[in-house]
Amino acid sequence: MNKRLKGKTALITGAGRGIGRSIAETFADEGCRVWATSRSLEPLRDLADVGGIQILQLDVTDVGRVARASEKIGGIEILVNNAGHVAVGAILDCTDTDLQQSLDVNLYGAFHMIRAFLPGMLARGAGTIINIASVLSSISSVADRFAYGVSKGALIALTKSVALDYVDRGIRCNALCPATILTPGLNDRIESNPDPAAARSNIVNRHKMGRLGTVEEVAAAAVYLADDASAFMTGQLLIMDGGMTL
């Protein structure tokens, strides 16, 4: 079987569970040398037993730690900015802290990572950046996701700006924009609802396909964006929404 990412090195943030974990495992299976990172080391520990994966504790909101990670890891070909924070509520429910935390993780986290690792990509004349955004952004919205949507919309703007500024220097930057993906974090939020069954049904019914997306589907799309098969693609949004925005 042809390993599509053989010989490449990737760093993935927020790889402890859910989408990030699936991307880390799938990239490793495709022959990539993977640095799986997370704010907490505990959810990463069993990934250290997976061939091709190295783990590293990394808080993307901490500029100093990001800089030290860059020094430790060195050059990479692929950066996946997946670390995320989901704040719930409309604008009148949103505190300054809620909005700042959303921006710190979802926007500034990607900003810090790109600033740290892009120079090495430029020095080699090649690199691929994949930002995990969302359809809940500048694309569409649902109720009570004000801070989340604002931060992900800004991440899309960041994606396009980076893509344009470095398009002639071998750098590609694209955004993956899923609708609702079945992850442990989503399950936690559903189960904390007073009526979990109704909450789950409401979320599923947003999607005209009648189901949620899977982390494996998002990981497969990330492989495409990381692979040379997408070499003519930059500054674009790969929307995976189960028909939600139709």
Side-chain angles (χ1 to χ4, degrees):
M1 176 181 175
N2 182 41
K3 301 287 188 179
R4 288 176 286 176
L5 304 181
K6 185 176 180 180
K8 296 184 178 183
T9 300
L11 187 154
I12 300 157
T13 66
R17 62 179 188 166
I19 290 172
R21 185 184 186 90
S22 185
I23 292 174
E25 293 173 331
T26 304
F27 275 25
D29 191 53
E30 289 289 349
C32 192
R33 181 188 179 213
V34 173
W35 284 91
T37 75
S38 177
R39 185 174 60 180
S40 172
L41 195 60
E42 192 57 37
L44 295 172
R45 292 195 185 280
D46 59 337
L47 280 177
D49 298 326
V50 178
I53 296 182
Q54 298 182 75
I55 64 172
L56 180 69
Q57 186 174 6
L58 178 61
D59 181 349
V60 298
T61 69
D62 187 324
V63 178
R65 289 195 176 190
V66 170
R68 290 191 292 275
S70 177
E71 293 171 2
K72 177 182 177 68
I73 293 169
I76 60 173
E77 285 77 31
I78 305 161
L79 172 63
V80 181
N81 289 309
N82 171 72
H85 173 72
V86 180
V88 177
I91 190 169
L92 295 181
D93 307 309
C94 182
T95 66
D96 287 0
T97 300
D98 291 332
L99 181 56
Q100 191 62 58
Q101 187 174 10
S102 299
L103 292 171
D104 283 347
V105 178
N106 298 342
L107 176 63
Y108 280 94
F111 169 72
H112 296 152
M113 295 298 295
I114 293 170
R115 296 252 311 170
F117 287 92
L118 178 57
M121 293 178 175
L122 289 170
R124 290 187 304 280
T128 298
I129 301 165
I130 303 168
N131 295 321
I132 307 301
S134 173
V135 293
L136 310 184
S137 56
S138 54
I139 300 169
S140 186
S141 191
V142 296
D144 296 323
R145 290 294 184 274
F146 167 73
Y148 181 79
V150 166
S151 63
K152 292 295 189 178
L155 182 60
I156 287 173
L158 177 151
T159 299
K160 290 182 172 292
S161 181
V162 171
L164 180 58
D165 286 339
Y166 300 100
V167 65
D168 59 349
R169 298 184 64 182
I171 307 301
R172 298 192 298 118
C173 185
N174 293 292
L176 252 174
C177 301
T180 313
I181 304 300
L182 186 58
T183 65
L186 175 65
N187 272 328
D188 291 345
R189 292 194 295 276
I190 289 174
E191 292 305 317
S192 68
N193 193 282
D195 188 345
R200 189 178 299 273
S201 178
N202 287 338
I203 293 172
V204 170
N205 289 339
R206 294 174 189 160
H207 307 80
K208 295 176 180 64
M209 285 186 179
R211 69 173 180 88
L212 303 181
T214 69
V215 294
E216 292 82 8
E217 287 169 326
V218 179
V223 170
Y224 170 69
L225 291 179
D227 184 19
D228 293 340
S230 62
F232 200 52
M233 182 177 179
T234 192
Q236 300 306 306
L237 314 180
L238 185 50
I239 297 172
M240 309 175 64
D241 70 351
M244 176 180 169
T245 56
L246 290 174

